[in-house]
Amino acid sequence: MNRFKLGSFFISIVLVSMVSIIYSSCSPRVSQVKTEETAALEVNDVRLSDNPDKTEVIVTGSGHIPYTTFRLTDPPRLILDLAGTSLGNFKEKIEAKGGEVVSIIPKEGKKPNMVSRLEIVLTGLVESNVRRDRDSLIIEILKTPGQEEVAKE
């Protein structure tokens, strides 16, 4: 009888060990790594440049600003969302003096998402292109044919 108890004891130990090994090998390994907080990005400058064939909005940041653009049609607007970016000193509406841009309306994002927005109000449904030049975003708004004659009158 002692042999039976001793044998079942060893079998129990072996089974518990095997179950523990199988269970621990299937569980995911998770570790927490503390990362350094990245400095918040900030808009340093917003400029308008009116050229004969296009109007440019130049947004310069303190670093490489991630962005998304989309259009709204009533009234015509080009929306520029700036992820993880503060608008800095640009809190007030910027009025344009000619070209295809009527105004630029800044909207500061709130933490934790911090997606700030520049709402570029346009004169009509026009073509636009966005490109990056180092830490600047350049939004080119192409003038519609006949806009030059209207501007000269």
Side-chain angles (χ1 to χ4, degrees), residues 86-144:
S86 166
L87 292 176
N89 295 327
F90 299 94
K91 309 280 189 225
E92 302 295 322
K93 182 178 183 179
I94 301 167
E95 296 290 342
K97 296 177 173 88
E100 298 293 318
V101 176
V102 175
S103 62
I104 302 172
I105 304 167
K107 296 182 181 177
E108 183 77 43
K110 301 212 185 303
K111 291 184 179 180
N113 298 336
M114 196 62 171
V115 177
S116 296
R117 174 172 285 182
L118 292 176
E119 189 173 309
I120 304 168
V121 182
L122 304 168
T123 58
L125 298 175
V126 293
E127 285 188 51
S128 63
N129 301 308
V130 182
R131 63 182 169 88
R132 186 181 299 281
D133 184 18
R134 296 187 187 136
D135 291 339
S136 294
L137 296 174
I138 300 168
I139 301 97
E140 298 173 335
I141 299 150
L142 304 178
K143 290 189 176 179
T144 54

